[in-house]
Amino acid sequence: MKITVEWLKEFVETDASPAQIGDELTMLGLELEAIEDSALGPVLDFKVTPNRGDCLSVFGLARELAAKNSQRYRPTSLFIRAAAGFPSASTDGPVTTTDGPVTTTDGPVTTTDRSVTTTDGPVTTTDRSVMTTDGPVTTTDDSRRVTIEAPELCGRYVGAVMRGVKVGSSPSKIAQRLTACGMRPIDSIVDTTNYVMLELGQPLHAFDMRRLKGGRIVVRTAKTGEKMKTLDGVERALTPEMLMICDVERPVAIAGVMGGENSEVARDTTELLLESAHFDPVSVRRTRRSLGMSTEASYRFERFVDPELCLAAARRVAELLGSSLELSDVFPGTVARAVVLVREARWNALLGMEIPVAGAAAILTGLGCSVSQAEGGLSVVPPSWRSDLQIEEDLVEEIGRMWGYEKIPEALPYGASVSAGYGAEAAFRKRVKAAMLRLGFVETLTHSLCAPSSLSVGEGVVIRHAASPELSTLRTSLLPGIAEVAAKNRGQSLALFELGRVFGDGSERRSLGLLVSGEVFAAHWSGGKAAAHDFYSLKGVIEELGGLIRRSLSWQATDDARFHPGRRAAVVLGGARIGVIGEIAPAVCEALDLAPATLAAEIDVDALLASEEEVPTYRPLSHFPAIRRDFAVVMPLGVQYGQIQAALSAAAGGLAERIWLFDVYSGKGIDAGHQSIGVGVMLRHADRTLTDEEANAFTERGFSALEALGGKRRA
């Protein structure tokens, strides 16, 4: 935010230099980014944190300086009047504004209270008279002019009718100040509303009364299918959660964001309806982001604007334009500000220094809080413009900020510490990563946002305002990101893994993604062809991973279209599918620029963690020799290897130390729809040497079990 030093000095009298003012505000948490030159002298450019919407104005910054040091930054009469809710461009006594036709004087203020009724029940309004060069102008109230149908999104709406206005050029002082603050002067009406916004922090908007159907304002949410062309000439599609300012027929402005072309002030406008309102910050931010817009008004509204500013800002505009007012103030009711207990022991402990109760009370009072003594500290009601002060720690921060953080004494930290450690989830993820590294894989870290990919699962959540098409969707699988890494390293043998979050079905979970291509091991110097990764090598990796984390994984058929139809399987744990493995389909490899025969797998890590861990049991090594028996059978293609292994294990009766597949053949000599399977079984008894008769008996039982599956002995 930019302000001129000479404008700031209309609110606080000081001999401080621009650099000193900048340093003072920087120490208060409002960082000075630059001091620039302008036709009006130095301009201070501040970085205001999101919680300090009250500092996005000249008055707000002046209030901070006066609260910090009222001796050096003495509030002027203008500051005092503004703090009382009625700002003026003058100091005490009659003063004529530069290059403008308006002379203001300090005079009597008459207060009239009336009760009006809206759709939500009785609403109390407060009206006061304004003194201008044209004499006293009594503001009137017409509750029929403004209706709030969404009071939860619009806490106050002041509609001020101004008659007999003339649209022209602004006085040079106003135009120069706007230019110095980075705003382009347009005409006297727009410039005045922008000027008051910069001065007080209240965004304003002026409608041409002639173009408001029915001469009324209705504050409501948009209807399905409604559209409106905004002042920037863009037609906007509206959605039902957006708050709109409407006349009796159509939307005329997007609440807190931008007005519409259909009610824009023109050169021949003579009657205005000035909007000075308070809108819900979350609603304004949601609407602004949905429409892809950002304005000076939305920037302030989404950081909170004091609802008590509405009347003062409307009167300030009338004062600058020299116009009369007819006010409609619909105020569905102020929100009672909570009383916060701030304990002396607490602020001393948090700040690490002793601050007396009287000093803390003076600080909070200077910030606009209502302060009273309480047992052990202070009872505080924050001011209306500080929505960020809600709990005790917020007020302790204010005490420390104003007392001076530089006064905190230097001291070594003290206190008891507890030994660090991993929680159950973090420890399990660490075990999974360690297992993958031991298996020879390299870890990758990819972005959780990605472009839609042929390796994705389902439709991901689309980012409404994505930074780029490549970061437009929350990932539903880790494989697209790992595949992108593989494509950039094509031509090398790869074994990649990533453990990260994926998003889908309204939830998020942790997943383990794997991708392999090329050779399993480099070719040996003695010659011979190096083994390449295939379905079984990756399957072996997953089986080994299951053993390392003590989980029993099995396999089922799957129809996942991302993988080759004959080289894919679902990973199963406890009867439930928790992942998939396979060779990536050739068309997908080509589309993603992957090497042919690239394989991938993905496993739900949360499901692994939730499963019951197999507790290892001790079994001593047998001192007796083993006996090997091989089975060569012709099996139908539909029989799975898992069935064969289970049949032989049952036939061994606990004597099978190891069962493995060593040969698969189909072709000449084998009937269509069948294949030749070679399976080895290692038998060993723990307490004695097995006899040939026992081994032969097992062989017969094994062949019988395989024949029951449809197999035939191969001669």
Side-chain angles (χ1 to χ4, degrees), residues 61 135 168 172 260 282 294 297 299 366 409 431 452 533 568 613 628:
L61 295 176
S172 63
V282 175
S294 183
Y299 185 80
R431 284 178 57 196
H533 281 290
R568 62 192 181 192
E613 183 176 4
R628 172 174 172 171

Side-chain angles (χ1 to χ4, degrees), residues 432-452:
V432 172
K433 284 187 177 184
M436 294 309 304
L437 293 172
R438 287 200 297 273
L439 290 168
F441 279 67
V442 175
E443 185 177 9
T444 65
L445 294 174
T446 61
H447 209 293
S448 58
L449 297 176
C450 65

Side-chain angles (χ1 to χ4, degrees), residues 80 143 159 197 217 224 258 277 296 534 544 580 583 600 656 696:
I80 295 170
S143 63
M197 177 182 69
I217 288 293
T224 302
M258 186 178 287
E296 289 286 344
D534 60 11
E544 188 69 16
V580 66
E583 181 181 312
N696 293 336

